Amino acid sequence: MKIYVVRHGETDWNAKQRYQGQRDIPLNAAGTQQAKQVAERFANCPIDFLISSDLSRARATAEIVGERINLPVSVNPLWRERDFGHWDGLTRAEIEAKYPKEWHRYREEPLTGGPKDGETLQELQMRAVKAVEWVLEQYPQQTGIVFSHGGLIRSLFGWIANDTRPRFRLDNGGVSLLTTSAGDLSVEFINDTSHLR
């Protein structure tokens, strides 16, 4: 089984490096173009299903691909971004300045730290695992694409690699690949952006 995992196209908040979490920020013009480039990448690939987060930036990316390859998009909120609570809309520098204790704890204890009214990385990982298990159950032995978010994708791959501080880059419109063998998940590649150049 192959599951391609695509990070949604760019939003204005991505461009300004603002945490957007579960705020429903739409694609900007660059993000729409990235989605079209992702669609061209998969135009001649045998794809059986498309799954998207329910947030519009992921859903719009998925729908552009779906139109190109003539497949409907199924929406599952398990794939939505981490809830960053009152950090939403802020840059890293603004978070450090406004909430220094929360930020320090988050850096020291990444699995359990974070905004007090948001989701911990541990909670996000549990949700990400449920999300991928759902796909495995619903689409056994098929090939599909999931459209999600940087935080969730990074936490899922970190869980697979048993790494609590995954530091790999995930660009908007980047494509990664999960495969399964004998029930085990493997990450074949992360953040291929060749189609965006």
Side-chain angles (χ1 to χ4, degrees), residues 148-192:
S148 190
H149 307 266
L152 186 136
I153 297 167
R154 192 174 288 106
S155 72
L156 175 62
F157 291 178
W159 176 81
I160 293 169
N162 195 28
D163 181 1
T164 59
R165 294 178 184 267
R167 298 185 186 277
F168 48 82
R169 184 182 175 97
L170 287 172
D171 291 295
N172 291 111
V175 176
S176 304
L177 177 62
L178 292 175
T179 60
T180 62
S181 177
D184 291 330
L185 279 170
S186 298
V187 181
E188 297 297 319
F189 60 79
I190 295 174
N191 197 41
D192 179 16

Side-chain angles (χ1 to χ4, degrees), residues 49-51 66 70-74:
F49 64 87
L50 302 177
I51 306 293
N70 197 30
L71 275 180
V73 176
S74 295

Side-chain angles (χ1 to χ4, degrees), residues 123-138:
E123 290 167 336
L124 179 67
Q125 281 188 336
M126 291 172 62
R127 178 158 60 79
V129 171
K130 285 181 185 176
V132 79
E133 286 176 344
W134 180 85
V135 172
L136 297 175
E137 290 169 5
Q138 295 295 315

Side-chain angles (χ1 to χ4, degrees), residues 33-44 61 64-69 147 195:
Q33 178 59 29
Q34 289 162 345
K36 291 176 180 177
Q37 291 170 300
V38 172
E40 288 307 313
R41 178 202 171 109
F42 288 107
N44 297 307
T61 306
I64 289 169
V65 175
E67 286 176 15
R68 181 67 178 86
I69 64 175
F147 298 84
H195 53 287

Side-chain angles (χ1 to χ4, degrees), residues 1 11 20 39 66 79 81 91 97 99 101 128 135 147-148 156 172 180 183 187:
M1 184 172 183
T11 71
Q20 55 193 344
W79 287 101
E81 181 59 290
T91 64
Y99 305 106
K101 289 182 181 177
V135 172
F147 298 84
S148 190
L156 175 62
N172 291 111
T180 62
V187 181

